[in-house]
Amino acid sequence: MPAEATEPGRDSRGGGLRKVARVILLDPDDRILLLHGHEPDDPADDWWFTPGGGLEGDETHEEAALRELAEETGITEVELGPVLWRRTCSFPFAGRRWDQDEWYYLARTAQTETRAAALTELERRSVAGARWWTYRELTRAHETVYPTRLAELLGRLLDEGPPARPVTLDPEIV
C-alpha cells in the first residue's frame, strides 16, 4: 500500500524506484500485524499488507519504518530489528503504477491495540483496518496477502530466526 508520492510511483526525491520501509511486526505471541487495504473506489478489490510506506526527505529506512508504523497503527512501543527481506514490486493502485524498492524490518511489540494516527488522504480512502494474524491463520487465508509468500516467509522466520543478511525476494509485478 503506497502513501502519496510527489511523482506517481516514483521516489519522492525524484527518479528510480520509490524507496519503501515495511515492518514485520510481531506481538509476544508471534502474531503478525497486517493492514486491510482496498482500491479507493472499489472496497471489494481488497488485500492484506504489512505496515510501511515511502521514505520522506532525508529519512533513513529505519526512521521511515518507525514513522509509518506510528502513523498507520498508533504503535510506538517497538523494538526495531534487522532488515529481513528486500523486494522490488510494481503494481497498479488508485489509477497509478507504483514501482517500489521495499525493505522489510523485523519489529517486536507488546502494544497490540491499534489506532490509525495520521493517515494520508489516500490511505483514509483505502485502509479498512488492521488485524493480528497467527502463522496458522495466515497459511489458511483465502484473502490476498502481500508479499504473496508472506506465510512461508513468516514460518521460516519463526522457525529459524532472522537471516544473517537480508534475503532478496523475487520481484512481484501485478
Side-chain angles (χ1 to χ4, degrees), residues 5-174:
T6 306
E7 183 181 337
R10 297 293 177 189
D11 185 320
S12 60
R13 293 169 288 198
L17 294 174
R18 180 172 180 256
K19 291 175 176 50
V20 171
R22 297 207 164 279
V23 180
I24 302 301
L25 185 63
L26 302 178
D27 75 359
D29 297 321
D30 285 336
R31 296 180 306 166
I32 185 172
L33 182 66
L34 297 179
L35 302 180
H36 189 204
H38 58 82
E39 275 292 332
D41 298 323
D42 184 6
D45 184 2
D46 67 332
W47 56 87
W48 292 89
F49 64 102
T50 59
L55 277 64
E56 294 180 356
D58 293 331
E59 246 180 353
T60 66
H61 282 85
E62 294 88 353
E63 291 167 339
L66 292 172
R67 176 186 50 76
E68 286 285 341
L69 186 64
E71 290 174 358
E72 294 175 347
T73 71
I75 295 176
T76 57
E77 299 169 22
V78 298
E79 178 185 325
L80 191 63
V83 177
L84 301 170
W85 316 307
R86 287 192 61 187
R87 115 181 145 142
T88 57
C89 60
S90 180
F91 54 91
F93 174 72
R96 307 176 191 169
R97 167 112 344 233
W98 300 82
D99 301 310
Q100 300 188 156
D101 174 24
E102 299 182 336
W103 292 25
Y104 289 80
Y105 283 86
L106 174 61
R108 295 238 175 221
T109 189
Q111 182 183 347
T112 57
E113 185 177 326
T114 62
R115 178 185 55 80
L119 298 181
T120 66
E121 186 275 330
L122 180 57
E123 288 168 333
R124 283 192 299 277
R125 293 179 22 228
S126 61
V127 177
R131 175 182 162 199
W132 291 96
W133 296 69
T134 65
Y135 166 70
R136 184 179 194 115
E137 289 170 333
L138 199 54
T139 63
R140 295 179 174 181
H142 295 290
E143 295 93 344
T144 301
V145 176
Y146 293 109
T148 56
R149 294 178 41 224
L150 185 57
E152 171 193 337
L153 294 164
L154 179 61
R156 185 174 302 135
L157 173 64
L158 295 175
D159 287 345
E160 301 171 10
R165 304 186 322 217
V167 174
T168 301
L169 306 178
D170 291 336
E172 287 192 48
I173 300 174
V174 181

